[in-house]
Amino acid sequence: MIMRKMLQMIGAGAAAVLLITGCGNGGAGGSMETSGGTGGKAEGATYTFRLAEAHPADYPTTKGDMRFAELVKERSGGRITIDVFPSAQLGEEKSVIEQVQLGAIEFTRVSTGPMAEFNKDFGVFSLPYIFDNDDHVWSFLLSDAGTGLLDSLESSGMKGLAYYSSGSRSFYSSKPLTKLEDLKGMKIRVIENKLNMDIMEALGASATPMPYGEVYSSLQTGVIDAAENNYPSYYSSKHYEVASHYLLDSHQRVPEVLLISKQVWDKLSAEDQEIIRQAALDSIEYQREEWAKYEQESEEKVREGGATITEISDFTPWKQAVAPVIEKYRSQYQEVLDAIEAARP
């Protein structure tokens, strides 16, 4: 933890230096040398940007980031370099989002979960059981309504470039966990937003917001009883070592989102904007393929590691328990919920 905090401090300091340097050269939060063009948006400029990623280097979202960076470098003829910093080297997701808003970090990949604190429309993804399966998720994300949500981030100082896969989220615990009733009274770590806290309350549990990097030790020491996430995160974080009971309730399907600072975006030429936008979209298929492979590998690994996996045959009690949460937020997300319903395959 001490080493991680030191890395985050160093990352934040470097960000400030790059921001000052970039602005001094007519850039936007990264190093840039102008090789031609006129006006505020330099044509043929050379950039070196950074992309903050919370997950390890071999994780599917990180691989998606790297594919995106490769495409940008290739299509810009080497003028635009995007260095990916995995394992939360530049900070945890919430603090990174704040730095992206300021232009101190140029790109990031984050869960849409904490995005609700910065753009309320993104809270819709935290609503439980609004998607039937992965096909339903992507039918919505690739629709005009899904693109509209990405575009709405501009009012929050960011530009949404693309969505990435993140499967479904389920509960895991250091205590036996096989049915809904087992959640009663459990202290469960959640992503830091109000909606997730409401879901835990509806399920009879106690919500405990905390950064992702603190979950392992908190499970190990009993600060929390449980957490919830997808198979790959359950495996890559090694949470299965300290919480070996995994219940496949799939209560949420919360996609990832690839972002660029709007301050940075607005200072790019139209040509470079198009290179970055299309590269992000073209990296989706690769990321989804990597996700599917890693999800299967993760399941095999956690089973080999001794985790007890329980599947649910009847989701009716779960949906009934959280129905009041959906009704509480329905008026706020009615338009998006209608679009999600319409996107059902």
Side-chain angles (χ1 to χ4, degrees):
M1 290 299 297
I2 294 174
M3 180 60 70
R4 173 167 286 185
K5 289 184 181 298
M6 290 177 66
L7 285 169
Q8 291 179 11
M9 291 174 64
I10 292 170
V17 171
L18 281 171
L19 177 59
I20 294 170
T21 303
C23 291
N25 287 325
S31 60
M32 180 187 84
E33 293 180 2
T34 303
S35 57
T38 58
K41 297 179 175 63
E43 299 289 344
T46 300
Y47 300 92
T48 299
F49 293 139
R50 294 165 309 147
L51 192 160
E53 170 60 64
H55 290 298
D58 62 348
Y59 197 82
T61 55
T62 313
K63 288 184 176 181
D65 301 336
M66 292 177 175
R67 178 59 177 158
F68 162 62
E70 289 171 3
L71 291 174
V72 170
K73 188 168 187 176
E74 174 187 313
R75 294 173 183 179
S76 67
R79 290 188 301 103
I80 305 174
T81 299
I82 301 173
D83 295 324
V84 178
F85 290 81
S87 303
Q89 293 178 58
L90 301 182
E92 296 287 353
E93 289 189 350
K94 184 178 179 181
S95 65
V96 164
I97 294 169
E98 292 170 346
Q99 293 186 68
V100 168
Q101 286 182 307
L102 296 171
I105 293 177
E106 297 83 33
F107 294 87
T108 188
R109 187 291 317 161
V110 294
S111 168
T112 53
M115 287 299 295
E117 290 193 29
F118 302 87
N119 185 302
K120 63 181 180 62
D121 292 339
F122 273 72
V124 72
F125 291 116
S126 293
L127 287 173
Y129 299 112
I130 58 172
F131 294 108
D132 296 335
N133 48 43
D134 196 54
D135 287 341
H136 187 191
V137 172
W138 279 99
S139 178
F140 169 74
L141 295 181
L142 297 177
S143 70
D144 290 343
T147 301
L149 275 182
L150 288 179
D151 292 340
S152 73
L153 288 172
E154 293 196 25
S155 63
S156 304
M158 295 168 276
K159 173 74 175 176
L161 297 173
Y163 295 105
Y164 280 167
S165 279
S166 66
S168 62
R169 300 177 74 91
S170 294
F171 290 105
Y172 51 88
S173 175
S174 57
K175 300 178 180 181
L177 183 59
T178 60
K179 56 187 182 301
L180 174 60
E181 290 72 20
D182 292 336
L183 294 175
K184 304 294 184 183
M186 277 192 175
K187 295 175 291 183
I188 302 178
R189 180 266 176 177
V190 295
I191 293 174
E192 300 175 61
N193 69 43
K194 180 65 168 60
L195 202 158
N196 278 296
M197 297 181 198
D198 289 341
I199 293 172
M200 295 306 112
E201 183 178 349
L203 295 174
S206 175
T208 306
M210 69 171 57
Y212 185 66
E214 297 177 14
V215 176
Y216 186 100
S217 62
S218 296
L219 285 165
Q220 189 176 42
T221 58
V223 172
I224 55 175
D225 303 309
E228 46 85 49
N229 219 315
N230 50 54
Y231 255 130
S233 293
Y234 181 50
Y235 168 62
S236 68
S237 64
K238 299 188 183 299
H239 289 174
Y240 70 95
E241 295 178 346
V242 289
S244 61
H245 304 277
Y246 195 43
L247 180 62
L248 297 177
D249 65 285
S250 299
H251 54 276
Q252 290 172 321
R253 296 178 185 273
V254 183
E256 315 284 352
V257 63
L258 185 63
L259 305 170
I260 181 174
S261 168
K262 191 170 186 301
Q263 289 191 35
V264 176
W265 178 262
D266 288 345
K267 293 184 180 180
L268 294 172
S269 68
E271 176 189 358
D272 287 346
Q273 287 178 348
E274 180 58 20
I275 287 173
I276 289 171
R277 187 191 68 81
Q278 193 59 50
L281 294 175
D282 290 345
S283 70
I284 293 174
E285 183 177 359
Y286 173 80
Q287 193 275 337
R288 291 182 66 184
E289 291 172 353
E290 289 298 310
W291 180 270
K293 288 191 295 185
Y294 197 62
E295 193 169 46
Q296 183 175 349
E297 293 170 5
S298 297
E299 179 180 354
E300 294 171 356
K301 293 294 186 181
V302 298
R303 287 183 184 275
E304 291 172 4
T308 300
I309 312 298
T310 302
E311 297 186 11
I312 295 175
S313 57
D314 183 10
F315 289 92
T316 303
W318 293 80
K319 293 180 179 180
Q320 290 176 340
V322 300
V325 177
I326 295 178
E327 291 309 310
K328 177 180 178 179
Y329 291 92
R330 183 175 295 280
S331 61
Q332 183 175 340
Y333 301 118
Q334 187 64 63
E335 185 176 349
V336 184
L337 287 173
D338 288 344
I340 290 173
E341 179 66 25
R344 182 171 279 110

